[in-house]
Amino acid sequence: MESVEFKVEMVGIHEKRLRKSLSKLKGIEKVEVDANSQKVVVTGYAHRNKILKAIRRGGLKADFWSAQNELLNVYSCTASYGSLRFNNSNFF
């Protein structure tokens, strides 16, 4: 059994569309969706390219999750809470 991570651009109702498109594939055991970070983890025996194709066929923009996505997610979380502050005098 393999777990594959995807970055899927989602808005509230897209989770239902995502689950519907993945339910048509054989071999998928579990689908975990984190809408805040736009991360989807699919566990099962289906090939990763077939899963990606099924997500895209459902009308969603998707790609495989990468380390760069993780860094962008951490940055966006800290920036949205205001804990990341810049002082212009520190740059020069």
Side-chain angles (χ1 to χ4, degrees):
M1 192 174 323
E2 181 183 8
S3 292
V4 184
E5 299 175 339
F6 298 96
K7 177 173 177 50
V8 181
E9 293 183 19
M10 289 188 294
V11 185
I13 61 170
H14 288 157
E15 184 175 348
K16 186 176 181 180
R17 184 188 301 175
L18 173 73
R19 291 186 186 277
K20 185 177 180 182
S21 63
L22 290 177
S23 68
K24 296 176 182 178
L25 288 178
K26 293 181 181 178
I28 292 181
E29 298 289 326
K30 184 167 75 168
V31 177
E32 298 174 33
V33 178
D34 183 4
N36 293 333
S37 63
Q38 298 185 350
K39 183 176 184 178
V40 177
V41 180
V42 179
T43 306
Y45 297 103
H47 193 271
R48 60 187 314 174
N49 290 335
K50 286 187 178 185
I51 299 170
L52 180 62
K53 196 174 189 178
I55 295 171
R56 289 179 176 170
R57 205 176 313 128
L60 299 169
K61 293 182 181 179
D63 207 353
F64 294 111
W65 189 264
S66 68
Q68 181 182 9
N69 293 337
E70 195 71 42
L71 290 173
L72 290 173
N73 184 37
V74 169
Y75 175 75
S76 67
C77 288
T78 56
S80 66
Y81 290 116
S83 63
L84 185 63
R85 297 191 177 137
F86 294 103
N87 187 353
N88 290 337
S89 62
N90 290 344
F91 286 101
F92 299 103

